[in-house]
Amino acid sequence: MLSYVALGLLVFVGLVLFYGIIAIHDIPYDIAKSRNHPHQDAIHVAGWVSLFTLHVLWPFLWIWATLYRPERGWGFQQVQAQQRTDETLITALQEKLDAQSERLTLLEQALAEKKEHNDGGAL
C-alpha cells in the first residue's frame, strides 16, 4: 500500500513540476500580451524554444517583453521630442546671442567714436 502512495506522490510531483515549468515559461508572453507588445507572437514562440534549451533564453525574453510600454512605445519618441525641443531652445539662444553680440559691437563703436571725439577736442 505504501508503495502505491509513494508512486502516486511521485506522479503528482512530476505533473506539478511539468505544468509549473510550462506556466513559468509563459510569463514573458503574458507580460507582452498585457502590454500589447508588437512582438508578442515572437516572444511566445521563443518561450517554447526556451523550453528545449532549458530556459537559457527566458531571462532575455522577460527583458524583451518588459521593454515595450503601450503609453510610450519603446521610449525613443520622448528622446526625439526632447532633442527637437533642445534644438529649438538652442536656436532661440543663438539668435539672442547674435543680437547681444550686435548690440555689444554697436556700443564698442559708439564708445570708440566718443573717445576719438574727446581725444580730438583736447588737442
Side-chain angles (χ1 to χ4, degrees):
M1 176 69 183
L2 191 57
S3 58
Y4 289 119
V5 173
L7 180 63
L9 189 60
L10 188 62
V11 168
F12 175 76
V13 169
L15 286 174
V16 167
L17 283 175
F18 178 74
Y19 285 112
I21 288 172
I22 288 176
I24 286 173
H25 103 276
D26 236 5
I27 291 173
Y29 171 69
D30 291 337
I31 292 170
K33 192 173 175 183
S34 70
R35 292 179 179 219
N36 199 20
H37 198 291
H39 304 140
Q40 59 184 292
D41 292 334
I43 292 172
H44 194 224
V45 170
W48 281 102
V49 170
S50 179
L51 263 176
F52 299 113
T53 61
L54 302 177
H55 287 266
V56 171
L57 302 174
W58 193 83
F60 301 106
L61 295 177
W62 184 294
I63 293 168
W64 185 13
T66 56
L67 281 177
Y68 183 81
R69 290 189 186 166
E71 67 275 2
R72 68 176 173 112
W74 296 103
F76 298 120
Q77 289 85 6
Q78 287 181 343
V79 172
Q80 291 170 349
Q82 182 64 39
Q83 286 174 346
R84 283 192 296 274
T85 304
D86 290 347
E87 289 171 2
T88 305
L89 181 61
I90 288 171
T91 304
L93 288 174
Q94 185 64 42
E95 290 172 0
K96 192 172 183 179
L97 181 62
D98 291 343
Q100 292 292 333
S101 178
E102 185 178 328
R103 185 174 173 214
L104 181 61
T105 303
L106 290 173
L107 287 172
E108 287 174 344
Q109 287 174 354
L111 182 62
E113 288 174 7
K114 189 171 185 177
K115 191 173 187 182
E116 184 180 298
H117 177 64
N118 287 342
D119 287 344
L123 291 173

